[in-house]
Amino acid sequence: QARLEESGGGLVQPGGSLRLSCASSGRTNWRVGWFRKPPQKEREFVASITWNMGTTTYADSVKGRFTISRDRAQNMVYLQMDNLNSEDTGIYYCNSRSTVLSTTDPSTTLGFWGQGTQVSVSS
């Protein structure tokens, strides 16, 4: 089994919802998060949650619409996405990293990454 495995991507209409899942080997001092790469744009931070206390961080662009959560017993991290719009289209990547590292740095050299799952918002 891969260290990080994303699932749940797909095609949805504007205003619709989608839930992404990430199978992660979480640890107490790790932070698991989601990053995305929109078409023709650089990879950007979306949301993260600390494994132990569940402290969340969100990009301004998704606040109030996305909710990140984790199930430590199941080693799963979820990203509930509501009120989706075209700007949310992109490849979503799950990432895990030490809590001493930057929360929002999208560099691929930081931590461990999944293969990505495509999210497309279109009518």
Side-chain angles (χ1 to χ4, degrees):
Q1 184 179 22
R3 193 174 187 87
L4 295 173
E5 296 182 352
E6 306 99 332
S7 63
L11 174 64
V12 296
Q13 299 180 77
S17 298
L18 203 62
R19 188 183 74 161
L20 304 183
S21 300
C22 174
S24 176
S25 56
R27 291 181 172 81
T28 299
N29 63 338
W30 284 15
R31 173 180 283 109
V32 182
W34 292 91
F35 294 76
R36 68 187 182 189
K37 187 183 183 305
Q40 301 180 14
K41 294 180 65 178
E42 297 299 312
R43 185 177 305 208
E44 63 185 20
F45 171 76
V46 177
S48 71
I49 186 168
T50 60
W51 197 252
N52 59 338
M53 298 300 295
T55 302
T56 59
T57 304
Y58 295 95
D60 289 339
S61 59
V62 306
K63 286 180 179 177
R65 299 188 300 118
F66 290 11
T67 303
I68 189 170
S69 62
R70 94 288 196 210
D71 185 331
R72 292 184 291 179
Q74 296 284 78
N75 289 321
M76 296 292 294
V77 175
Y78 304 100
L79 184 67
Q80 178 65 43
M81 305 184 293
D82 299 318
N83 297 316
L84 288 163
N85 58 64
S86 61
E87 299 300 311
D88 297 314
T89 292
I91 304 174
Y92 284 67
Y93 299 89
C94 185
N95 168 260
S96 65
R97 62 182 63 183
S98 169
T99 54
V100 306
L101 300 174
S102 169
T103 301
T104 60
D105 192 328
S107 174
T108 56
T109 64
L110 272 56
F112 304 93
W113 297 82
Q115 75 285 350
T117 184
Q118 177 70 47
V119 172
S120 298
V121 185
S122 176
S123 59

